[in-house]
Amino acid sequence: MSSSRHVPVMLQRCLDLLAPALQRPGAVVVDCTLGLGGHSEALLTQFPEARLVALDRDKEALRLSGERLAPYGERATLVHAVYDELPDVLARLCIARVQGVLFDLGVSSMQLDEADRGFAYAQDAPLDMRMDQTTGISAAEVLNTYPPGELVRILRAYGEEKQAKRIVAAVVRERAKEPFSNSARLVELIRDALPQAAKRTGGNPAKRTFQALRIEVNGELSVLERAIPGAVAALAVGGRIAVLSYHSLEDRLVKQVFAAGAANTAPPGLPVVPEQYQPRLKLLTRGAELPTEEEIAENRRAAPARLRGAERIRESIE
């Protein structure tokens, strides 16, 4: 276990954003992406009156963070769930509204560090990539069974991979000889498929393809599309939400939900804006905040992070 895996990204800034909503006794904060419990532990420590509900789809993460958070006893409730299930989880726990919500959308560093999960392109491993290994299809099945057009769409949409057609042509040619099972073969194929110029930009050439496969395997964007509005709806007035995302697709989605909530939706020309058209959210960050250079130097996984925050300022009047 490397010590770097325990460094939660932009931790203090997340705590500062949520703090005004979590000082009160009985405040409930939801960590939608528990992982190894770094953010959760900090929330429980910094806000001694608060109760934590934490979600993760990865059973191994729940087991490890359960040990870490055991000293907090009844204050921490850990739930095996995907974050778009938040409304159901709160209903089961009889919690009507919460004061804080945190999302850290990066792949948990534990998953990147566990060689046998196949998330990382830096080491050979079975191409799995499922965050919850009890359900769904693996990255190998996606590569081996999806039609070429669908694979191209995934690499372009989720990996923003300009060379998607070249990579997919090589994948289709190779999988006909032998199905894919391990990451090293895929990395080598991508290196061979790319033109020289494309290899010189932006780190490991396999990075974008691996990101795209991970998002597809875990349904991450469709889950996020449901999760962010669900989390905003769960906030009490005065409650706050902080979201850390790591690529432009996630960040754009968060930005859209927050911007819609912060907008005045009245028809143009009304002399006075009625309550039901008033904004429900106040934005707490100007655009997306970035990690400091010092933080990136200490924790390279922080480099792509983008943080956005919002506060619930009124109820929706339907």
Side-chain angles (χ1 to χ4, degrees):
M1 293 199 25
S2 63
S3 59
S4 69
R5 73 156 61 168
H6 291 305
V7 183
V9 172
M10 294 179 81
L11 176 61
Q12 194 53 51
R13 185 64 187 122
C14 290
L15 296 174
D16 293 346
L17 271 179
L18 296 172
L22 298 181
Q23 309 287 12
R24 291 167 236 146
V28 177
V29 60
V30 182
D31 184 348
C32 287
T33 46
L34 172 63
L36 285 170
H39 283 112
S40 280
E41 185 174 43
L43 288 164
L44 287 162
T45 306
Q46 183 138 342
F47 307 110
E49 304 279 358
R51 174 184 173 191
L52 170 88
V53 176
L55 281 52
D56 208 294
R57 57 164 70 173
D58 186 328
K59 287 192 163 167
E60 181 64 4
L62 284 163
R63 185 183 69 76
L64 291 168
S65 53
E67 292 170 6
R68 182 176 188 170
L69 301 178
Y72 298 94
E74 298 285 292
R75 290 180 55 213
T77 305
L78 311 189
V79 185
H80 182 231
V82 184
Y83 40 71
D84 65 338
E85 298 173 88
L86 175 61
D88 302 341
V89 170
L90 294 177
R92 286 204 304 274
L93 296 171
C94 300
I95 297 170
R97 287 297 175 89
V98 302
Q99 282 62 49
V101 179
L102 175 66
F103 284 86
D104 179 358
L105 298 170
V107 183
S108 126
S109 40
M110 176 192 79
Q111 290 163 341
L112 290 173
D113 292 341
E114 303 276 321
D116 60 355
R117 302 290 286 271
F119 284 96
Y121 36 81
Q123 50 202 7
D124 192 19
L127 275 168
D128 190 313
M129 299 198 195
R130 288 172 301 168
M131 292 183 192
D132 179 352
Q133 291 190 298
T134 62
T135 180
I137 68 166
S138 69
E141 287 174 78
V142 170
L143 276 179
N144 293 329
T145 64
Y146 276 32
E150 187 66 358
L151 285 174
V152 170
R153 182 191 70 77
I154 288 165
L155 294 196
R156 280 190 181 146
Y158 299 160
E160 301 178 270
E161 174 55 80
K162 295 183 180 68
Q163 305 290 335
K165 274 194 156 165
R166 275 178 186 247
I167 292 169
V168 169
V171 165
V172 170
R173 197 169 56 243
E174 284 299 311
R175 76 185 186 185
K177 299 176 192 167
E178 188 190 340
F180 284 88
S181 60
N182 275 46
S183 57
R185 181 174 167 219
L186 178 60
V187 171
E188 193 180 334
L189 172 144
I190 293 167
R191 281 189 196 282
D192 292 346
L194 293 184
Q196 277 307 116
K199 291 184 206 178
R200 283 196 287 272
T201 56
N204 191 311
K207 180 178 172 182
R208 291 180 293 276
T209 298
F210 273 66
Q211 173 182 299
L213 287 170
R214 192 196 84 218
I215 290 173
E216 171 65 18
V217 164
N218 295 293
E220 286 173 50
L221 286 177
S222 51
V223 168
L224 193 60
E225 272 172 22
R226 295 186 294 273
I228 301 293
V232 167
L235 285 175
V237 172
R240 291 178 163 218
I241 178 171
V243 184
L244 274 168
S245 44
Y246 293 79
H247 55 75
S248 57
L249 300 162
E250 290 174 339
D251 183 53
R252 198 177 309 147
L253 229 159
V254 176
K255 177 184 175 182
Q256 285 165 353
V257 174
F258 284 8
N264 159 357
T265 56
L270 292 183
V272 177
V273 177
E275 182 69 24
Q276 71 260 36
Y277 299 124
Q278 298 274 9
R280 299 182 313 284
L281 293 179
K282 178 177 82 177
L283 301 181
L284 300 173
T285 45
R286 294 189 56 167
E289 291 187 6
L290 309 180
T292 62
E293 285 177 19
E294 295 81 41
E295 181 172 2
I296 293 169
E298 281 173 28
N299 179 12
R300 60 188 172 73
R301 286 180 184 153
R306 302 283 178 273
L307 175 64
R308 292 180 188 269
E311 179 181 345
R312 183 74 180 256
I313 53 172
R314 57 171 52 81
E315 287 291 353
S316 302
I317 300 176
E318 301 309 340

